[in-house]
């Protein structure tokens, strides 16, 4: 059963060593992530799954101890998904899970065993929903750390340039995340999300699938802790408990 969830953005710039002189621009986002991870630990889960968008080579499960690096961003910094040695066949973490691993290390996560899940951004709503339900049924007390960004088209200087549809899409996503509204997340349009480069869509809909089976008495309550677009990209932090 899903007992708690946190959603966090996954730009490598969240890591101060990567951001360099611009690190302070993401201070409030980091603080919100810290608060969301604290709520995850307080829920006392038996299992934590860190889900984030991944390309073809990095999709699927990543075991505890799996490692990632920010060398591709010019910083010789390695992170691991929890403590311990990874299996010999463990694949490198995708960027989204590397950021998640960094956040968990920063939080000194010891609350529960953890593992990663690389999610394909084109994954259909139905597949996301089903995968989420399976995760929720995998242990008595499951928590999710869901990495992913909103649109990257909020301003003319954004990576995807400006698209007038981006603000409304991000507002709908932020509202659903803040309200712990599974139906609202599932209503996000897959094609529009793709056109607006919203990398979090598939992972948010996986979260929605995990939350659907809670029943009225066990419905989680959401709090939106951060909703900004500092680089023309929608970044959201939410806590579901």
């Amino acid at each position: 059963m899903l007992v708690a969830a946190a959603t966090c953005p996954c730009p490598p710039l969240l890591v101060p060593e990567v951001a360099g002189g611009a690190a302070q621009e993401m201070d409030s986002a980091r603080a919100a992530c810290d608060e969301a991870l604290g709520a995850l630990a307080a829920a006392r889960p038996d299992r934590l799954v860190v889900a984030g968008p991944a390309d073809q080579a990095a999709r699927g499960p990543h075991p505890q101890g799996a490692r990632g690096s920010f060398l591709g961003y010019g910083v010789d910094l390695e992170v691991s998904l929890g403590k311990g040695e990874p299996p010999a066949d463990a694949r490198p973490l995708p960027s989204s899970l590397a950021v998640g691993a960094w956040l968990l290390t920063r939080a000194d996560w010891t609350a529960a065993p953890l593992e990663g899940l690389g999610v394909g951004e084109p994954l259909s709503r139905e597949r996301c929903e089903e995968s989420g339900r399976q995760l929720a049924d995998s242990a008595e007390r499951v928590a999710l750390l869901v990495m992913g960004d909103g649109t990257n088209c909020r301003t003319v200087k954004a990576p995807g340039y400006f698209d007038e549809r981006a603000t409304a899409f991000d507002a709908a996503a932020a509202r659903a995340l803040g309200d712990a509204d599974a139906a609202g997340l599932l209503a996000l349009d897959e094609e529009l999300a793709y056109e607006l480069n919203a990398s979090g869509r598939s992972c948010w809909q996986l979260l929605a699938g995990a939350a659907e089976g809670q029943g009225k008495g066990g419905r989680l309550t959401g709090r939106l802790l951060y909703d900004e677009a500092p680089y023309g990209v929608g970044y959201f932090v939410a806590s579901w408990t």
Side-chain angles (χ1 to χ4, degrees):
M1 181 176 74
L2 184 70
V3 296
T7 67
C8 294
C10 57
L13 288 174
L14 202 59
V15 180
E17 291 89 339
V18 176
Q24 65 180 12
E25 295 177 10
M26 295 293 285
D27 280 349
S28 56
R30 292 185 199 99
C33 291
D34 292 343
E35 182 177 350
L37 264 64
L40 276 188
R44 296 176 287 109
D46 300 324
R47 182 190 187 206
L48 173 67
V49 179
V50 187
D55 60 20
Q56 184 69 46
R59 292 173 191 170
H62 293 264
Q64 180 159 329
R67 293 171 181 159
S69 170
F70 295 100
L71 196 59
Y73 300 94
V75 176
D76 188 11
L77 175 64
E78 186 176 86
V79 292
S80 64
L81 196 60
K83 298 177 181 178
E85 288 296 317
D89 60 352
R91 297 167 295 159
L93 296 173
S95 175
S96 64
L97 297 188
V99 175
W102 179 83
L103 287 172
L104 289 165
T105 300
R106 172 182 167 96
D108 194 23
W109 179 269
T110 57
L114 56 91
E115 62 189 86
L117 179 65
V119 180
E121 292 180 49
L123 200 65
S124 71
R125 177 189 294 108
E126 292 75 18
R127 289 285 304 280
C128 294
E129 194 175 359
E130 177 58 27
S131 296
R133 283 196 293 264
Q134 291 173 359
L135 284 178
D137 291 340
S138 66
E140 187 173 343
R141 299 181 63 81
V142 176
L144 292 178
L145 172 56
V146 179
M147 311 299 296
D149 301 337
T151 68
N152 71 352
C153 310
R154 294 276 291 271
T155 67
V156 293
K157 293 185 177 180
Y161 195 63
F162 175 72
D163 191 309
E164 62 184 6
R165 302 171 296 174
T167 298
F169 182 96
D170 280 346
R175 184 167 52 250
L177 291 170
D179 291 342
D181 180 4
L185 292 177
L186 291 171
L188 294 175
D189 186 270
E190 299 169 58
E191 184 174 346
L192 182 58
Y194 175 79
E195 292 174 1
L196 297 175
N197 301 310
S199 72
R201 189 275 310 170
S202 57
C203 295
W204 298 335
Q205 292 185 334
L206 180 144
L207 168 60
E212 275 187 317
Q214 296 300 100
K216 192 170 183 180
R219 188 181 186 278
L220 302 181
T221 299
R223 289 188 301 142
L224 188 64
L225 305 175
Y226 183 85
D227 174 9
E228 299 289 344
Y231 305 109
V233 183
Y235 295 146
F236 318 116
V237 180
S239 174
W240 293 18
T241 56

